[in-house]
Amino acid sequence: MDHLDKLESRSIHILREAYSEFNNICMLWSVGKDSTVMLWLARKAFFGHVPIPLVHIDTSYMIPEMIEHRDKLAKKWNLDMIYGQDEETLKAGNTFPNGQATHLECCGRLKTDALKNTLNGNWRRYRYNHNKDEYELDDNREPYTGVIVGARADEEGSRSKERYFSPRDRNNDWDIGDQPPEFWDQYKTDFAPGTHVRIHPLLDWTELDVWEYIQREKIPMVSLYFDQGEGKRYRSLGCGPCTETVDSTASTVDEVVEELKTGKFSNIAERDGRAQDKEDGGGLEELRKDGYM
Amino acid sequence: MNNKTGDKDLNLVIAGHVDHGKSTIIGRMLADTDSLPEGKLEQVKETCRKNSKPFEYAFLLDALKDEQAQGITIDSARVFFQTDFRQYIILDAPGHIEFLKNMVTGAARAEAALLVIDASEGVKENSRRHGYMLSMLGIKQIAVVVNKMDLVDYDEDTYNEIVAEYTEFLAELGMEAETFIPVSGMLGDNVADSSENMDWYHGKTVLEQLDSFENEALPHNKPFRMPVQDVYKFTKGGDDRRIVAGTVGAGELNIGDEVVFYPSGKKSTVKTIEGFKEDQQHKVKVGKATGFTLDEQIYITRGELASRADEAEPKVSARIKANLFWLARQDLVKDKVYYLKVGTAKVKARLEKINRVIDASNLDQDESKEKIERHDVAEVVFKLDKAMAFDLAGEIEETSRFVIVDDFEIAGGGIISEAMEDEQSWVREKVMRRNYNWEQSLISREDRAEKYNQKSTLILITGEEDVGKKPTAKALEKRLFNDGKVVYFLGIGNLLYGVDADIKNGDNGHKEEHLRRLAEVSHLMLDAGAILVVTAVELSQSDLELIKTTVNPQQIETVWLGDRVTTDLEFDLHIPEFTSEKEVSGQIKGLLQDRGIIFRPW
């Protein structure tokens, strides 16, 4: 087995454990490269099927191509697609792009709060109806007790501390100092009522692993990752107003891989283009404790 | 940074006592191999300047705010770095005694370990404890780094004393270090570059030693083992394949191989090896997350261990002897129910006996302890609720390892050293032989359930004498029959004078054989798809355990009838008063509906 085979098998093993051990499970899909690879791994784990609902948190500021790509794949791969959003904040317009909030406040509302309340069922969920080809209000408000997330350990400091199966308490809190032990392919699959578990099948993958896997498996990626002739592309995706492109002429997966291996990005962190990481020394960890991915 | 990935990648754990300098050594290795992201070193230096703190290499790892406040590494954080030879993934094991579970998490996945000892402090409690844990976790390649040599003026004698003391300790564990290296993480001596301050040392630098560690080979040449994660059938997605899914723990499997699943002993032949967007495979090898279909429709579930009929079979028992380490704050005690997990099997377990407790930090033994405390290592006997399949340590390690779950948390882990006799062993052997030789029908359990619109189930109605068990059972049979169900009331008398005619009656010594035969008959009826109603006087939990050995526990429902509960049976339904056949049988019918055995009308 080569390096990618090993990563693939471990991730599939984790996805299957999660599927068997949790009754109410979902997978967060941001439409970015990591969670799309995770989705692909789920199709492999379940032999072409995805028996787990996919949850997308739609801030309404997502770059439009992302939503298009999401719905295209949802149709093509027959996905059980669900989205949720902070309808109140959006209605009131209390967002950063409106000048009514700071970066972190805006992320806190549109991402963290929306995620928390979509997962626990406090807020509305919209589910894709394949027959009608539209999203409709979902009756199911059951809280998800297992949430599969595409975080990678190499992204930044706080993520390197995660477990494959990482508990969150009633308040969605993450006690970094007191995490369960995890060894011999045995994971925390037992949990007290009211708590839930985050599951991280991609924890051991690096950014380059992800791209090499996309290359090997020919996984369809949203076009934003590639230069469309203007010498710019996204390296990391998020909300339009807060995610910057990088200067790059990589227009294919092969070129992205080559650029990461030998080019100018081989020594620059991936989230460099994300504003919220810089605003506060430990900002991301704070967001992370609150549930932000 | 992390831009080279390859088959040679090595998982490395760094262990040792608190403040002996593990993080410093990692930070130094990152910096000296140019493995840091651009600007990281400057950023940390800048943070130190702002906070008027002297820069330390350890800060590079302390990415978390609250971690810096404590000044200790609190988790097995993953750090990537590379030499010219290969990439390393460091699982940074912390030294603080409170954090042993994090160290175990890191170390269990490592292929090699660096154990750091402070030259000025010498061998400490956790130097030994971690050494012991590394040996239990099965890590065979260990290099000992004697750090902070600058604090002892690079003195050779101090170094030699530590080498002698720790070599002796490891020898007691049956281990040997690959090498000892005198270094200063702070100043960089012998980490990436050979030191000019210790001309008496001619061995490898830390990086040279890392590059000489060997990648751990997966257990290719062992009997095939695959813990079954699940059996998938995505009928809704228009897919009729019935796929047994799991990750190969040892050995290999080919199309056409005869597979046997334990503990059930059920057997079939591999029809296809399945994958998604992969070329058709004829063989699957160790380490691969895979799935296969079978020639015959046998009913197996998550928790079984797949093996090959032409290779050594795993052990099956409900009693095990094991070496165990305990990580939880709460003690491990007798008279408490825990969960024990091996592979994908999860069973209730009770601590039956503590043979001896070993103090991991000095290897003293205590044979009188009645409980196992946090960070103890012990040899114990566990009694399991039902039998499971496993291997012994030293034979196939992957399937000899287990964890104990207490109060939702993984509280300890261990390796099984012996499969012990248990009360049901004799029946289980018969059942495994029966399953092994079972002639498979073309009709699956699901097919029958669909046809009859019911799940085949054994309903055991028990209680004291003369509480109305039989009238209830007969009324229930009639009621379900009228609903169109395939149901049968089996009177014990009908068995006693027929199937059991060769066993002397009234002889208590034969009770178990009576039960075994009752269970075998039940098994046949259930296989035929029926709901079977049986009455028995004062069934105990051990009676039920015996029946479960023969009949799938998920297909049994127990009802205790009558006010007084006179045995230890853990029943599914208690009906304290026999009001009328109609009412009591109605309550049982409600239970069957609740459990989805039969459906409620719309």
Side-chain angles (χ1 to χ4, degrees):
Chain A
M1 290 176 89
D2 70 16
H3 178 69
L4 288 179
D5 289 336
K6 281 189 207 165
L7 287 173
E8 178 189 65
S9 276
R10 174 168 292 274
S11 299
I12 289 175
H13 184 83
I14 290 167
L15 285 168
R16 289 176 176 166
E17 284 298 288
Y19 178 61
S20 293
E21 294 282 77
F22 291 87
N23 287 328
N24 232 326
I25 194 163
C26 71
M27 182 185 282
L28 295 186
W29 184 30
S30 72
V31 196
K33 63 189 187 315
D34 298 333
S35 55
T36 305
V37 161
M38 187 163 72
L39 173 55
W40 185 266
L41 288 164
R43 297 180 82 211
K44 285 211 154 188
F46 307 110
F47 304 97
H49 307 273
V50 185
I52 299 168
L54 293 155
V55 172
H56 181 234
I57 299 306
D58 187 356
T59 61
S60 87
Y61 289 104
M62 293 293 166
I63 308 167
E65 284 95 322
M66 293 173 71
I67 303 293
E68 274 168 37
H69 190 72
R70 177 191 79 187
D71 292 343
K72 194 179 87 192
L73 288 188
K75 250 183 259 182
K76 198 168 155 194
W77 292 349
N78 195 25
L79 305 176
D80 185 5
M81 190 71 226
I82 290 165
Y83 80 82
Q85 60 184 190
D86 185 347
E87 294 177 320
E88 215 166 286
T89 295
L90 289 173
K91 207 168 154 195
N94 291 326
T95 65
F96 169 74
N98 285 345
Q100 304 291 319
T102 64
H103 275 300
L104 283 179
E105 283 167 357
C106 189
C107 278
R109 287 169 197 155
L110 297 186
K111 288 182 178 170
T112 309
D113 291 351
L115 176 69
K116 185 157 55 172
N117 290 295
T118 303
L119 293 181
N120 66 22
N122 283 350
W123 292 357
R124 293 197 237 184
R125 295 172 183 162
Y126 297 88
R127 191 181 212 117
Y128 182 67
N129 183 326
H130 283 267
N131 293 327
K132 293 184 187 165
D133 189 20
E134 64 186 25
Y135 284 87
E136 51 191 33
L137 197 61
D138 188 17
D139 295 336
N140 179 12
R141 300 282 279 262
E142 281 284 304
Y144 292 110
T145 49
V147 180
I148 307 174
V149 183
R152 301 190 332 260
D154 77 322
E155 285 177 89
E156 40 85 34
S158 72
R159 293 191 190 196
S160 73
K161 309 275 167 170
E162 288 279 14
R163 295 281 198 261
Y164 295 121
F165 285 64
S166 198
R168 297 291 192 271
D169 70 12
R170 283 166 192 282
N171 303 318
N172 234 17
D173 278 344
W174 179 36
D175 187 348
I176 301 165
D178 189 22
Q179 297 204 68
E182 194 169 71
F183 50 98
W184 297 339
D185 288 337
Q186 297 292 352
Y187 310 107
K188 182 181 166 61
T189 52
D190 300 270
F191 52 94
T195 61
H196 75 274
V197 176
R198 292 274 163 90
I199 299 140
H200 303 111
L202 298 188
L203 209 51
D204 291 340
W205 295 58
T206 64
E207 186 188 9
L208 182 66
D209 292 332
V210 166
W211 277 110
E212 286 187 328
Y213 191 69
I214 291 167
Q215 183 181 36
R216 184 178 97 172
E217 301 284 315
K218 304 186 178 61
I219 305 172
M221 280 295 128
V222 62
S223 59
L224 298 165
Y225 282 118
F226 310 107
D227 174 34
Q228 307 292 328
E230 290 166 16
K232 287 186 185 306
R233 67 177 192 91
Y234 287 92
R235 190 174 173 198
S236 171
L237 296 181
C239 293
C242 294
T243 310
E244 291 164 26
T245 53
V246 292
D247 291 330
S248 160
T249 55
S251 61
T252 62
V253 176
D254 293 352
E255 287 173 19
V256 170
V257 168
E258 200 46 40
E259 188 178 65
L260 282 172
K261 265 186 180 163
T262 55
K264 58 177 182 168
F265 294 130
S266 61
N267 265 331
I268 297 173
E270 173 191 344
R271 295 178 65 95
D272 210 48
R274 298 249 207 148
Q276 70 267 30
D277 292 17
K278 295 172 185 162
E279 213 154 272
D280 156 304
L284 212 53
E285 190 210 332
E286 293 301 322
L287 283 173
R288 197 151 176 73
K289 279 184 173 172
D290 287 339
Y292 171 66
M293 290 307 109
Chain B
M1 223 176 122
N2 44 58
N3 287 338
K4 222 192 304 177
T5 49
D7 306 341
K8 292 187 297 183
D9 288 3
L10 191 101
N11 283 319
L12 181 71
V13 67
I14 309 216
H17 201 73
V18 65
D19 285 338
H20 279 198
K22 296 175 299 297
S23 298
T24 305
I25 286 181
I26 297 170
R28 169 62 77 170
M29 289 195 294
L30 292 180
D32 288 2
T33 54
D34 289 327
S35 295
L36 291 165
E38 207 170 277
K40 188 80 177 175
L41 190 61
E42 291 68 29
Q43 185 198 325
V44 173
K45 282 184 173 166
E46 176 64 16
T47 307
C48 288
R49 195 188 56 75
K50 269 197 223 157
N51 295 314
S52 313
K53 273 207 287 198
F55 168 77
E56 286 181 31
Y57 280 95
F59 293 157
L60 285 169
L61 293 185
D62 296 343
L64 291 175
K65 272 205 251 175
D66 61 346
E67 190 188 308
Q68 279 175 346
Q70 286 186 37
I72 43 176
T73 314
I74 57 170
D75 196 3
S76 56
R78 273 155 272 216
V79 178
F80 299 81
F81 84 101
Q82 63 185 45
T83 62
D84 292 336
F85 180 58
R86 67 177 157 201
Q87 174 171 252
Y88 293 90
I89 300 130
I90 303 183
L91 310 152
D92 177 29
H96 196 288
I97 187 165
E98 284 301 306
F99 299 135
L100 195 70
K101 59 182 184 175
N102 297 326
M103 133 110 197
V104 168
T105 301
R109 304 182 42 230
E111 300 167 83
L114 288 183
L115 199 133
V116 181
I117 299 175
D118 183 332
S120 63
E121 287 203 14
V123 177
K124 286 291 198 186
E125 185 188 354
N126 271 331
S127 319
R128 285 189 283 251
R129 193 187 301 278
H130 288 180
Y132 196 103
M133 299 305 297
L134 294 174
S135 89
M136 267 197 89
L137 291 164
I139 297 183
K140 298 189 176 70
Q141 308 182 87
I142 299 176
V144 181
V145 174
V146 181
N147 188 30
K148 306 194 191 180
M149 286 302 292
D150 52 312
L151 295 187
V152 296
D153 298 326
Y154 301 104
D155 180 45
E156 186 179 4
D157 290 343
T158 309
Y159 169 75
N160 283 337
E161 276 166 33
I162 291 171
V163 172
E165 184 182 349
Y166 204 71
T167 301
E168 194 189 323
F169 172 79
L170 288 179
E172 285 180 63
L173 300 173
M175 296 208 297
E176 196 184 346
E178 302 268 318
T179 185
F180 285 77
I181 310 170
V183 313
S184 166
M186 183 80 94
L187 302 173
D189 299 274
N190 285 337
V191 178
D193 303 312
S194 288
S195 170
E196 289 169 11
N197 297 312
M198 291 175 275
D199 50 14
W200 46 266
Y201 177 75
H202 306 290
K204 291 172 178 154
T205 63
V206 175
L207 288 184
E208 284 166 352
Q209 178 55 42
L210 291 186
D211 283 349
S212 72
F213 280 136
E214 281 171 25
N215 284 100
E216 204 174 14
L218 291 168
H220 282 285
N221 302 322
K222 300 236 168 134
F224 171 73
R225 294 290 186 261
M226 188 189 93
V228 174
Q229 284 187 289
D230 234 322
V231 180
Y232 298 130
K233 196 176 176 189
F234 298 106
T235 326
K236 260 195 261 172
D239 188 344
D240 277 336
R241 289 176 299 174
R242 198 159 180 270
I243 305 172
V244 182
T247 303
V248 182
E252 60 182 45
L253 184 72
N254 309 283
I255 291 178
D257 281 343
E258 215 170 12
V259 275
V260 191
F261 297 88
Y262 289 98
S264 72
K266 291 179 185 173
K267 193 180 68 172
S268 188
T269 306
V270 178
K271 188 174 166 188
T272 60
I273 289 169
E274 295 292 331
F276 173 70
K277 304 248 179 209
E278 275 176 33
D279 298 336
Q280 179 65 45
Q281 302 292 317
H282 294 277
K283 178 195 282 295
V284 62
K285 291 183 180 174
V286 64
K288 172 89 173 162
T290 186
F292 53 84
T293 63
L294 298 169
D295 268 341
E296 293 154 308
Q297 302 268 17
I298 57 168
Y299 182 74
I300 48 159
T301 53
R302 176 177 166 85
E304 299 243 21
L305 183 61
S307 66
R308 268 168 59 172
D310 62 347
E311 293 179 333
E313 62 195 34
K315 304 281 184 292
V316 173
S317 178
R319 263 177 95 218
I320 56 161
K321 193 201 274 178
N323 289 309
L324 165 135
F325 53 88
W326 193 246
L327 301 167
R329 289 194 188 91
Q330 276 174 308
D331 299 334
L332 172 65
V333 294
K334 295 175 186 173
D335 307 319
K336 187 173 175 191
V337 179
Y338 298 91
Y339 279 104
L340 188 146
K341 289 162 88 176
V342 178
T344 54
K346 182 178 177 184
V347 294
K348 282 185 190 158
R350 285 181 174 80
L351 177 63
E352 182 180 296
K353 190 158 173 269
I354 301 174
N355 287 345
R356 58 205 175 100
V357 173
I358 306 137
D359 186 330
S361 62
N362 59 19
L363 300 187
D364 280 351
Q365 298 195 5
D366 186 339
E367 291 173 19
S368 63
K369 272 179 98 164
E370 279 304 300
K371 60 181 183 181
I372 292 168
E373 295 169 281
R374 194 177 195 200
H375 300 161
D376 276 347
V377 176
E379 187 189 281
V380 295
V381 175
F382 277 109
K383 170 91 182 65
L384 313 176
D385 202 27
K386 59 178 190 185
M388 53 170 203
F390 54 87
D391 289 288
L392 301 184
E395 291 176 6
I396 307 179
E397 285 177 350
E398 286 66 24
T399 38
S400 72
R401 295 164 168 169
F402 65 90
V403 298
I404 300 287
V405 177
D406 179 20
D407 196 22
F408 309 116
E409 300 292 344
I410 292 177
I415 43 183
I416 303 171
S417 55
E418 193 183 325
M420 300 175 82
E421 282 276 309
D422 64 78
E423 290 140 23
Q424 283 95 32
S425 299
W426 65 281
V427 190
R428 192 173 314 114
E429 250 166 62
K430 286 191 163 69
V431 171
M432 284 189 334
R433 203 173 310 143
R434 176 253 277 164
N435 282 341
Y436 194 92
N437 294 303
W438 190 261
E439 210 54 66
Q440 206 63 42
S441 152
L442 296 174
I443 302 157
S444 75
R445 209 173 87 131
E446 289 91 345
D447 294 342
R448 283 185 218 274
E450 203 170 310
K451 174 99 176 175
Y452 300 146
N453 206 13
Q454 66 183 34
K455 287 184 191 158
S456 59
T457 301
L458 169 63
I459 302 162
L460 288 165
I461 302 176
T462 187
E464 288 185 290
E465 301 242 24
D466 300 324
V467 289
K469 295 187 296 291
K470 264 187 207 165
T472 302
K474 289 181 184 176
L476 179 65
E477 184 194 26
K478 190 76 198 284
R479 198 171 182 141
L480 295 175
F481 182 79
N482 289 341
D483 287 346
K485 299 295 156 201
V486 178
V487 58
Y488 187 72
F489 162 66
L490 179 65
I492 288 293
N494 305 354
L495 273 185
L496 278 182
Y497 303 106
V499 171
D500 291 352
D502 61 322
I503 316 175
K504 255 189 231 159
N505 230 339
D507 186 344
N508 243 346
H510 290 132
K511 189 186 176 193
E512 291 178 345
E513 180 59 19
H514 280 296
L515 279 172
R516 188 187 74 78
R517 293 189 188 187
L518 167 66
E520 279 295 344
V521 170
S522 303
H523 176 261
L524 287 172
M525 302 280 300
L526 262 48
D527 194 54
I531 292 175
L532 185 64
V533 189
V534 173
T535 61
V537 178
E538 295 181 85
L539 213 56
S540 69
Q541 187 62 28
S542 70
D543 295 340
L544 180 63
E545 294 306 327
L546 203 140
I547 295 171
K548 279 186 186 170
T549 311
T550 308
V551 178
N552 178 359
Q554 290 166 340
Q555 288 177 278
I556 304 176
E557 298 295 332
T558 51
V559 180
W560 189 278
L561 192 55
D563 193 22
R564 268 166 29 107
V565 178
T566 51
T567 74
D568 60 345
L569 182 73
E570 294 165 19
F571 42 75
D572 297 298
L573 177 67
H574 183 202
I575 302 174
E577 201 188 348
F578 179 74
T579 45
S580 68
E581 288 107 354
K582 188 165 183 252
E583 199 170 317
V584 175
S585 63
Q587 281 175 278
I588 299 174
K589 187 179 161 186
L591 169 76
L592 301 183
Q593 288 172 329
D594 287 346
R595 300 280 162 104
I597 293 158
I598 55 176
F599 296 106
R600 263 180 228 286
W602 292 92

